[in-house]
Amino acid sequence: MIKNNWFDPFFVQENLSEEEKLIQNNVRSFADNILRPKVVENNRNHHFERELYKEFGKLGILGSTTNSHGGAGASSTAYGLSAYEIEKVDSSYRSSISVQSSLVIHPIYNFGSDEQKDKYLPELISGHKIGCFGLTESEAGSDPSSMKTTYKKDKDGYILNGSKNWITNSSIADIFIVWALNENLETHSVKGFILEKNTKGLTVSPINNKTSLKISPTGQILLENVFIPKSNCLQNTNGWSSVFSCLNKARFGISWGVLGAATECWLISKEYVENRIMFKKPLAANQLIQKKLADMQTEVNLGLSSCLLTSKAMDEGKNIINAISILKRNNCKKSLDIVRDCRDMLGANGLIEEYHIMRHLVNLETVKTYEGAENIHSLILGKNQTGIASF
Ligand code: TGC
Ligand code: FAD
């Protein structure tokens, strides 16, 4: 008899290596046993346990594609699968991994000096140090090139002035990757700097009133005449393309991750409608409900199959810039649609914390916004098709 493969109609699992399956199973069991039991309480209290980073480190999911300094040298697919499993529990936890791996370890590994790699990577990969990535400012969100934060050359280094807003982890970070423009407007080139906690002139303040991604700490950074020694400048950056290379990697992880949130809510609502009796029959016996389940199955699996293809292309060194914008934009949009339908299928119970769905729904509003809002990815794709920038 042919096995009913409704959950994995495109055989994604069969296309994974043994190592990728093992990593996925380990991360799933960590997510189930360590993260899920406390997620409702942590969300209610806006609480992130910083010790979790050490657990992420032990699991090998920080900088997992890095080949040195303790990195697991895993495939991009394995990185994506980890994001998928972790985001089944909460987008905040996936954000913790994305920021540390793609926005902190990645730039140090790719653009740092050997000394910087030796000094920072082992502790970031093991989770003994926490990093953050400061690009966005209050007046420079979708258009980071209009940032006001500047650097100027000083005798043995640089002086930084400015501020950053909406920075994940900034209130708990040991290490800050900060992007700034040359004070000289004619040059105006962008550079990345590594700042350490307690540097004179660097202050952070948490944003405590978010209604979304509540477990993930977010904050503001203020830089007042901060002196950065030359040795803490990322030496090998090449203008904006270096900044975007970090974003590419984070957007890729998000594309897998949001499908985790969607899968989780799809399965919760499937079980609910199979068991909920209304009009003397299960809700799942109604055509309108089955159509919704079919839509969820379709979008999750189309998304996962495309993520898998993109991961393989990424590891082959192909240009995946368009794929990433398509996936970041579409998977966030489709996941939000799915989770909203799930909320509806549970009726009043869909509003209850313990069913998890409302939390995923409000989290996905953040995920749709950061790392290039949905509109911005439309404009990137439009520009790449037509050659005309319409930002
Ligand atoms: P543009 O003129 O298009 O490009 C400037 C230079 O960069 C190159 N480039 C890329 N390189 C690599 N990968 C990409 N995806 C690239 N896109 C562009 C480009 O070739 C050019 O190179 P060169 O050598 O010719 O100079 O730049 P623009 O200023 O017009 O960019 C416009 C736009 C809107 C696309 C860009 O600003 C953008 O993507 N805005 C969105 C901002 C954003 O995504 N911010 C994210 C902040 S970090 C965050 O949200 C973390 S959330 C926490 C978590 O992930 O969990
Ligand atoms: P805006 O740029 O003001 O955009 C508002 C709306 O207008 C959006 O819908 C956008 O799509 C739309 N829009 C903008 N321009 C156009 C246009 N030309 N045409 C059509 N529509 C347009 N940033 C970091 O640097 N590091 C972090 O760690 C980080 N973490 C974050 C964590 C959270 C919880 C959140 C919410 C944000 C985080 N961000 C971070 C910031 C995030 O990247 C920005 O919020 C995002 O880039 C959008 O910028 P904005 O909020 O200023 O919106």
Side-chain angles (χ1 to χ4, degrees), residues 79-107:
Y79 170 56
L81 289 164
S82 300
Y84 173 74
E85 292 301 333
I86 297 282
E87 198 151 351
K88 281 183 184 172
V89 180
D90 199 279
S91 303
S92 295
Y93 294 125
R94 196 267 312 130
S95 230
S96 316
I97 291 157
S98 296
V99 168
Q100 185 97 340
S101 302
S102 305
L103 301 180
V104 180
I105 293 171
H106 171 86

Side-chain angles (χ1 to χ4, degrees), residues 96-157:
S96 316
I97 291 157
S98 296
V99 168
Q100 185 97 340
S101 302
S102 305
L103 301 180
V104 180
I105 293 171
H106 171 86
I108 296 176
Y109 182 73
N110 285 282
F111 312 122
S113 64
D114 287 344
E115 292 73 32
Q116 289 168 346
K117 290 181 204 178
D118 294 344
K119 181 171 178 192
Y120 296 111
L121 290 181
E123 288 189 305
L124 286 166
I125 289 172
S126 67
H128 284 78
K129 288 264 161 81
I130 299 176
C132 71
F133 176 90
L135 177 65
T136 303
E137 299 179 3
S138 300
E139 308 302 325
S142 296
D143 178 17
S145 67
S146 61
M147 69 169 70
K148 301 277 189 312
T149 299
T150 57
Y151 68 87
K152 69 174 175 199
K153 275 217 163 107
D154 194 53
K155 212 168 24 153
D156 300 312

Side-chain angles (χ1 to χ4, degrees), residues 39-40 43-44 46 87 89-92 94-95 166 209-216 258 261-262 265 332 335-343 350-353 355-370:
V39 67
V40 170
N43 186 66
R44 199 178 294 153
H46 293 249
E87 198 151 351
V89 180
D90 199 279
S91 303
S92 295
R94 196 267 312 130
S95 230
W166 288 105
N209 52 353
K210 302 203 308 291
T211 52
S212 166
L213 218 71
K214 283 165 60 178
I215 297 174
S216 171
V258 289
C265 296
C332 287
S335 296
L336 258 172
D337 291 346
I338 288 172
V339 174
R340 201 170 284 120
D341 270 348
C342 293
R343 220 288 311 143
L351 303 168
I352 299 293
E353 281 177 327
Y355 279 103
H356 304 292
I357 290 175
M358 266 313 270
R359 179 169 45 78
H360 279 298
L361 184 56
V362 291
N363 282 346
L364 287 171
E365 288 291 342
T366 284
V367 185
K368 173 190 172 193
T369 301
Y370 68 26

Side-chain angles (χ1 to χ4, degrees), residues 13-306:
Q13 279 295 312
E14 284 184 23
N15 280 284
L16 303 181
S17 68
E18 288 311 309
E19 184 184 86
E20 287 161 352
K21 285 183 200 162
L22 188 69
I23 291 173
Q24 181 174 22
N25 286 337
N26 285 344
V27 177
R28 182 185 299 140
S29 110
F30 173 85
D32 287 345
N33 297 318
I34 308 293
L35 300 180
R36 190 169 276 109
K38 289 195 199 156
V39 67
V40 170
E41 192 189 331
N42 285 339
N43 186 66
R44 199 178 294 153
N45 299 326
H46 293 249
H47 180 61
F48 180 81
E49 292 162 72
R50 70 174 285 138
E51 288 301 300
L52 263 182
Y53 265 99
K54 292 184 189 154
E55 304 283 329
F56 292 148
K58 276 192 211 142
L59 197 60
I61 55 174
L62 299 176
S64 61
T65 55
T66 311
N67 265 318
S68 64
H69 300 87
S75 66
S76 294
T77 303
Y79 170 56
L81 289 164
S82 300
Y84 173 74
E85 292 301 333
I86 297 282
E87 198 151 351
K88 281 183 184 172
V89 180
D90 199 279
S91 303
S92 295
Y93 294 125
R94 196 267 312 130
S95 230
S96 316
I97 291 157
S98 296
V99 168
Q100 185 97 340
S101 302
S102 305
L103 301 180
V104 180
I105 293 171
H106 171 86
I108 296 176
Y109 182 73
N110 285 282
F111 312 122
S113 64
D114 287 344
E115 292 73 32
Q116 289 168 346
K117 290 181 204 178
D118 294 344
K119 181 171 178 192
Y120 296 111
L121 290 181
E123 288 189 305
L124 286 166
I125 289 172
S126 67
H128 284 78
K129 288 264 161 81
I130 299 176
C132 71
F133 176 90
L135 177 65
T136 303
E137 299 179 3
S138 300
E139 308 302 325
S142 296
D143 178 17
S145 67
S146 61
M147 69 169 70
K148 301 277 189 312
T149 299
T150 57
Y151 68 87
K152 69 174 175 199
K153 275 217 163 107
D154 194 53
K155 212 168 24 153
D156 300 312
Y158 300 89
I159 304 283
L160 262 63
N161 275 296
S163 65
K164 298 286 169 185
N165 201 1
W166 288 105
I167 308 304
T168 300
N169 278 353
S170 54
S171 52
I172 59 162
D174 304 294
I175 290 161
F176 299 66
I177 302 290
V178 170
W179 298 93
L181 292 180
N182 192 323
E183 193 193 49
N184 175 351
L185 288 179
E186 274 159 34
T187 319
H188 226 56
S189 60
V190 67
K191 262 191 191 305
F193 299 89
I194 308 174
L195 278 65
E196 294 185 20
K197 189 173 72 175
N198 298 330
T199 299
K200 196 169 165 233
L202 165 70
T203 45
V204 291
S205 51
I207 298 173
N208 290 323
N209 52 353
K210 302 203 308 291
T211 52
S212 166
L213 218 71
K214 283 165 60 178
I215 297 174
S216 171
T218 317
Q220 299 175 324
I221 302 175
L222 190 62
L223 304 151
E224 288 174 298
N225 289 321
V226 178
F227 172 74
I228 308 293
K230 224 178 182 172
S231 57
N232 275 34
C233 170
L234 288 170
Q235 309 284 351
N236 304 317
T237 51
N238 177 25
W240 282 99
S241 61
S242 301
V243 182
F244 290 129
S245 93
C246 304
L247 304 187
N248 288 341
K249 203 145 177 119
R251 291 166 176 175
F252 165 80
I254 288 169
S255 304
W256 278 92
V258 289
L259 297 173
T263 302
E264 180 80 359
C265 296
W266 164 32
L267 296 184
I268 291 169
S269 61
K270 175 178 170 296
E271 189 183 341
Y272 187 90
V273 294
E274 285 166 352
N275 291 297
R276 172 88 171 157
I277 306 296
M278 201 49 57
F279 297 102
K280 301 185 181 61
K281 61 184 182 185
L283 282 178
N286 293 293
Q287 291 177 354
L288 285 173
I289 297 283
Q290 290 199 4
K291 180 194 176 289
K292 287 194 173 82
L293 291 173
D295 287 342
M296 293 174 194
Q297 176 189 38
T298 302
E299 298 303 345
V300 164
N301 281 294
L302 287 176
L304 283 174
S305 316
S306 320

